[in-house]
Amino acid sequence: MSATTYTARHAMGRRVVGQALVASDGFSARYDLNRLQGVFSRPAHKLVGQSYVDRILVLDTAKGGVATAWMLHEMRSRNMVPSAIVFNTVNTILAQGAALGDVSMLAGFDGVDITAQIPHGAMVEVDPDARTIRVLAPGEYPAPSAAPEGTNKVHGQR
């Protein structure tokens, strides 16, 4: 593995490539997000005002309770969900929520603070089968593609 590849103890989901939003902060789908606008909304959060939609979140820890599972599922139903979530530490409730919301997830990097290793805004690949996150070189960036039919973002009430 290169210096830009990090291996997690825990992983689930599918391989995704995207832009990383990185903060040494926690994550609660209930308290940190405006799920209708698709942005971090808690004023004290280090990512406040930034869109999490289709981004790979690299954060310190999961926080919160059972509401996260149904919130991630509801966000997925409106295509307003992160592509993946990467944590130093995770709890079982957020792991269940990621599974229900079909959000790829990595967690637990032995002796490494993943929020200090991944540059904010970097293009990264999350590969749960290999249990890795890798910072991509500019020549590896994927070509932009149009959203598949029926994947419009749905803001507000349905």
Side-chain angles (χ1 to χ4, degrees):
M1 295 286 169
S2 75
T4 60
T5 300
Y6 303 92
T7 302
R9 287 189 310 277
H10 312 288
M12 69 176 174
R14 67 190 178 291
R15 180 188 164 278
V16 294
V17 174
Q19 184 179 28
L21 289 184
V22 182
S24 58
D25 209 339
F27 175 80
S28 165
R30 181 174 184 185
Y31 295 112
D32 293 336
L33 307 179
N34 179 320
R35 295 178 318 279
L36 300 179
Q37 295 179 354
V39 297
F40 281 85
S41 59
R42 184 171 55 86
H45 200 283
K46 293 174 179 148
L47 297 174
V48 68
Q50 295 186 52
S51 174
Y52 60 80
V53 178
D54 299 330
R55 300 293 192 265
I56 295 174
L57 306 182
V58 181
L59 299 163
D60 184 41
T61 190
K63 57 185 184 174
V66 296
T68 290
W70 69 261
M71 289 177 179
L72 287 172
H73 177 70
E74 183 269 341
M75 290 160 56
R76 169 62 68 195
S77 74
R78 294 183 297 106
N79 297 309
M80 297 278 295
V81 69
S83 295
I85 307 174
V86 178
F87 294 110
N88 283 315
T89 60
V90 70
N91 61 34
T92 55
I93 301 238
L94 198 114
Q96 290 171 341
L100 182 63
D102 192 28
V103 177
S104 296
M105 189 185 76
L106 298 177
F109 298 85
D110 292 329
V112 173
D113 175 357
I114 199 64
T115 67
Q117 302 303 313
I118 306 296
H120 180 75
M123 289 297 289
V124 298
E125 173 192 62
V126 170
D127 185 347
D129 288 342
R131 295 188 351 254
T132 59
I133 182 170
R134 181 172 67 94
V135 178
L136 300 179
E140 296 179 286
Y141 291 7
S145 62
E149 182 73 28
T151 59
N152 294 332
K153 307 304 180 206
V154 180
H155 300 269
Q157 298 295 320
R158 289 183 75 156

